[in-house]
Amino acid sequence: MRPEPAPSDPFDLRKARVHEAEGRGRRAFALLQAARHLGPLVWILPGHVPEVPMLRGLPQGVGDRLHLLRPASEADLLWCMEESLRAAPVGLVIAEPEKPLSLTAGRRLQLAAEKGRTTGLVLIRQDAGSPATETRWHCEAMAGPVADSTLHDWSLKKNKKGTLGHWVVNWDGTSAAFTLVPKVGERRQPAEPAY
Amino acid sequence: MASDVSLRNRPIEGPFALTLRSGNSDHLHCLNAAADQRGLHRGMPLADARAICPDLSTRPADLAREGAALASLRRWASRYAPMVASDGTDGLIADITGVAHLFGGEGDLRADLHARLARAGLQASSAIAGTRGGAHALARHGGGIIADGALAQGLGGLPVSALRIDHDTAEALARVGLARIADLAHLPRAPLARRFGAGLVLRLDQALGVQAEPVAAEPDMPHFGVRMTLPDPIGLQSDVMAGLSRLLDRLCAKLALHRMGARRVRLELRRVDRGTVQVEIGLARPMRDPARIAALFAKGVDEIDAGFGIDALRLTAPVTEPLAPEQIGGGPDARQQDALADFLSSTGNRIGFDRVLRLLPAESLIPERSFLLAPAAYSAPEPGSLRHGPARPALIFPPEPVEAASGSPPTSFRWRRMRFTTLRAQGPERIAPEWWFDDPAWRSGMRDYWRVETREGPRLWLFHTPQSPEWRIQGEFP
């Protein structure tokens, strides 16, 4: 098997795997990922969730590629997710299950993702992750020091094939472009004591 | 005819009529023979009819059903002649040129027709004549057969109103003493046309055969349905799928012939105990590819109860759309479109096509109506929704009240049992309700929208309604 190319930037999700994001800012993380993936996008929201994406507020080029599935039950949601991961043309599948995924369900989703060569992103409640996930992100919105800065505090809490990390990102939600913000008062190299 | 059709479904003894509301009173639309004998006639007000005949039973007329009944009768009547057209709302006209001898002559043909219609419970009067106008006139005035060459004598005794002319012309003719067709037939044409219009002369010529008038039979809509009966009942899933694939091949060939594609396909299975089971699937776009349609049936066929076996299959395409022939095995783009349509079909069949949605832009400044959630199977993506104007949140939800808001914009507030402190706020952006559209959510008047960055992180979209002071949250920015 060919080795997979190393991710070029920290937020590249590994292809053909299912990832997880938690925290209050998880939908913003999902939107950035939607803007970064090519091809049709599928967002699976339970039918009773009040929040829906608003067309004019979505990043550039996401709105016309987005398909919204609103299944009525949890079983239908998992079925939809598996089916859309298996569908070859889909670029990214975002799903918001209500209950924690079992190991079996998580594993089935990984197999479906490998079969369809599709990337999946599961937006989970806090600490409701599945052990089968490839990476798990914790996402929070962060107050910015100046106006015009829309900061996000994204940390990688679990990574099966790499290191963990923590980033503060300035992403304004209009396109796929973002800037990494070094922490205030933090140096690139640890400062040596002068004596 | 309409009253007979209505009585066929639910029989009633005695005088019966269908009523139709015109203006602000009910009139008799169609009545049966018993009502006719009591002196009622068509077009009479219902109140008068009830005064004459108190035991009259009535039902409201259903014009759509009447039209459908006439269309099916027309299809049946094509057993007598290749060209059958409907004539008005309650008549049929058939061109029986050269076919009468197959039924033993014109008299036998007419007797056969009446016998069959009577058995079906339909009262009819019919006439055979050398011209379309002649047959039309005679059928409505007693019926019968006019022999070849005797058209003028046969029609001569009929009133002029039989000529398919309007009421005013008929009245004007009666005023000058021209009551019967025979009175008109020998008059010079030119003064007749000058006085009563060219329409009268045309109708007269058509009835007498001077002017040709063909029977224009409308073409039948192609029927997309195929069936198969089996000598022995089947029960295995693989057998049903095999039968289905044979039917699908035939159905898709027929669809291809008419350049149509199916949007819904229905499989009806008849069991040996006369019960029927039905599997219906929808397609995300018009399609006529047997293999891809068969794949969508797999789940439905898996769930049916075969009972003691299935001995007949019927496959129909109730909803079809035009589908031009296209290059098969196109590039990767076409293959991707096909795969996406298959994916939408399969999810739509499982969770319902109204739950597979797409976002479409809409012309409105009201945030919740600035986009549509449209079923993806029945809409096409509309690219190029440029972001312009004030910022909009990425997520929108029905407005939720804010508690313990202090100040304007609020410096601190509670929402979803969390405490927030405002760091900075942008606004206000005033949006007025659309006065031409009564939306219960906008009864509280205009709204001042603020983008509020909180110290805790979330960037929220709050609004204030000055006309009934209250703060609410409607969206969240990334």
Side-chain angles (χ1 to χ4, degrees), chain B residues 98-178:
Chain B
V99 291
H101 71 279
L102 300 174
F103 297 87
E106 290 178 350
D108 286 350
L109 189 151
R110 189 162 168 259
D112 181 62
L113 173 73
H114 277 273
R116 284 177 190 273
L117 286 176
R119 208 180 311 145
L122 298 176
Q123 277 194 341
S125 68
S126 66
I128 298 176
T131 60
R132 180 177 174 174
H136 177 99
L138 191 59
R140 280 157 184 77
H141 292 86
I145 299 174
I146 300 178
D148 261 353
L151 207 54
Q153 293 94 311
L155 292 177
L158 300 182
V160 285
S161 59
L163 279 178
R164 295 180 282 169
I165 51 179
D166 55 9
H167 189 69
D168 291 343
T169 316
E171 221 166 50
L173 284 169
R175 215 174 298 133
V176 298
L178 299 170

Side-chain angles (χ1 to χ4, degrees), chain B residues 170-444:
Chain B
E171 221 166 50
L173 284 169
R175 215 174 298 133
V176 298
L178 299 170
R180 294 178 309 123
I181 295 176
D183 300 338
L184 284 177
H186 65 271
L187 289 180
R189 292 288 191 268
L192 209 57
R194 203 176 322 131
R195 181 147 182 192
F196 299 103
L200 171 68
V201 178
L202 175 72
R203 289 303 187 195
L204 185 63
D205 285 348
Q206 282 176 343
L208 296 177
V210 182
Q211 183 94 25
E213 186 186 9
V215 173
E218 55 257 53
D220 276 318
M221 288 297 289
H223 175 67
F224 298 110
V226 286
R227 67 174 112 190
M228 174 193 266
T229 39
L230 305 165
D232 280 318
I234 57 170
L236 291 178
Q237 194 186 336
S238 57
D239 294 348
V240 175
M241 289 305 283
L244 172 69
S245 71
R246 286 195 197 178
L247 287 178
L248 267 175
D249 286 342
R250 282 164 55 197
L251 183 71
C252 292
K254 197 164 185 184
L255 286 167
L257 187 68
H258 290 98
R259 298 192 171 186
M260 301 289 268
R263 277 313 283 265
R264 296 200 74 81
V265 185
R266 186 187 296 153
L267 174 68
E268 285 166 50
L269 304 166
R270 199 185 68 202
R271 299 195 303 227
V272 285
D273 57 1
R274 297 278 154 194
T276 51
V277 275
Q278 185 171 313
V279 185
E280 189 165 332
I281 57 148
L283 298 164
R285 62 172 204 183
M287 203 188 281
R288 51 166 182 255
D289 185 349
R292 285 163 63 196
I293 297 175
L296 294 171
F297 268 109
K299 176 171 165 283
V301 168
D302 184 30
E303 284 171 356
I304 57 173
D305 174 19
F308 294 105
I310 291 160
D311 64 354
L313 295 90
R314 185 159 176 265
L315 187 71
T316 50
V319 183
T320 53
E321 280 177 14
L323 174 64
E326 59 187 28
Q327 179 75 40
I328 53 168
D333 197 36
R335 274 203 300 279
Q336 192 176 14
Q337 290 291 327
D338 283 354
L340 188 65
D342 284 352
F343 162 67
L344 293 178
S345 301
S346 65
T347 45
N349 281 313
R350 163 107 186 204
I351 64 173
F353 279 95
D354 54 337
R355 292 176 175 275
V356 183
L357 304 166
R358 195 196 293 280
L359 297 167
L360 296 180
E363 283 292 324
S364 176
L365 291 174
I366 304 292
E368 49 270 53
R369 284 202 291 278
S370 67
F371 66 101
L372 290 173
L373 283 173
Y378 298 99
S379 59
E382 288 182 32
S385 61
L386 291 172
R387 295 167 63 104
H388 54 83
R392 286 285 180 264
L395 293 166
I396 187 171
F397 39 85
E400 292 177 12
V402 166
E403 290 154 25
S406 60
S408 177
T411 50
S412 69
F413 53 93
R414 285 169 64 78
W415 173 57
R416 288 187 181 174
R417 292 189 286 172
M418 284 175 287
R419 178 112 221 137
F420 292 99
T421 324
T422 305
L423 182 64
R424 55 184 83 83
Q426 285 173 19
E429 179 198 351
R430 176 160 288 189
I431 299 181
E434 292 174 336
W435 53 264
W436 57 92
F437 193 89
D438 183 30
D439 187 350
W442 281 77
R443 294 235 171 100
S444 52

Side-chain angles (χ1 to χ4, degrees), chain A residues 24 27 51-58 64 67-70 76 79 84 89 142 144-146 151-152 174, chain B residues 336 343 350 355-358 361 383 387-388 390 393-397 416 418 424 451 454 457-459 476 478:
Chain A
R24 283 190 46 95
R27 292 199 176 103
E51 289 98 342
V52 289
M54 183 170 173
L55 186 62
R56 275 197 51 203
L58 294 178
D64 49 344
H67 297 85
L68 203 61
L69 306 187
R70 311 209 66 183
D76 275 351
W79 182 88
S84 36
M142 207 174 152
V146 290
L151 297 191
H152 301 267
T174 55
Chain B
Q336 192 176 14
F343 162 67
R350 163 107 186 204
R355 292 176 175 275
V356 183
L357 304 166
R358 195 196 293 280
R387 295 167 63 104
H388 54 83
L395 293 166
I396 187 171
F397 39 85
R416 288 187 181 174
M418 284 175 287
R424 55 184 83 83
R451 179 180 187 267
T454 60
R459 290 167 275 272
E476 205 173 339

Side-chain angles (χ1 to χ4, degrees), chain A residues 99-118:
Chain A
K99 297 188 192 121
L101 294 183
S102 64
L103 177 62
T104 319
R107 192 70 207 128
R108 271 187 77 155
L109 293 181
Q110 293 289 14
L111 290 174
E114 276 169 27
K115 178 119 189 290
R117 306 292 301 156
T118 309

Side-chain angles (χ1 to χ4, degrees), chain A:
Chain A
M1 194 174 157
R2 245 183 344 184
E4 295 197 3
S8 57
D9 77 61
F11 306 118
D12 250 351
L13 296 181
R14 207 161 290 128
K15 290 249 178 281
R17 303 295 290 169
V18 178
H19 307 261
E20 281 181 359
E22 62 179 20
R24 283 190 46 95
R26 58 188 191 271
R27 292 199 176 103
F29 183 74
L31 284 173
L32 173 68
Q33 293 299 342
R36 287 162 64 95
H37 280 79
L38 299 173
L41 307 166
V42 176
W43 193 322
I44 308 169
L45 268 174
H48 56 83
V49 167
E51 289 98 342
V52 289
M54 183 170 173
L55 186 62
R56 275 197 51 203
L58 294 178
Q60 196 73 49
V62 168
D64 49 344
R65 294 186 289 141
L66 187 64
H67 297 85
L68 203 61
L69 306 187
R70 311 209 66 183
S73 70
E74 188 78 8
D76 275 351
L77 185 139
L78 289 179
W79 182 88
C80 284
M81 173 142 199
E82 192 178 353
E83 194 74 2
S84 36
L85 284 171
R86 220 182 277 282
V90 178
L92 177 71
V93 182
I94 304 165
E96 302 192 16
E98 298 273 286
K99 297 188 192 121
L101 294 183
S102 64
L103 177 62
T104 319
R107 192 70 207 128
R108 271 187 77 155
L109 293 181
Q110 293 289 14
L111 290 174
E114 276 169 27
K115 178 119 189 290
R117 306 292 301 156
T118 309
T119 314
L121 180 63
V122 185
L123 306 185
I124 52 169
R125 305 281 173 97
Q126 192 75 42
D127 299 326
S130 154
T133 184
E134 182 74 20
T135 59
R136 186 175 302 133
W137 296 80
H138 184 86
C139 313
E140 290 290 346
M142 207 174 152
V146 290
D148 278 358
S149 69
T150 42
L151 297 191
H152 301 267
D153 181 356
W154 290 339
S155 55
L156 185 53
K157 285 173 63 186
K158 168 180 172 167
N159 191 352
K160 279 195 172 177
K161 292 189 191 123
T163 51
L164 306 183
H166 175 236
W167 296 269
V168 175
V169 186
N170 188 358
W171 178 59
D172 60 356
T174 55
S175 63
F178 61 88
T179 49
L180 289 175
V181 181
K183 281 223 168 138
V184 179
E186 187 184 315
R187 295 193 189 188
R188 284 287 175 205
Q189 282 83 32
E192 291 297 319
Y195 51 87

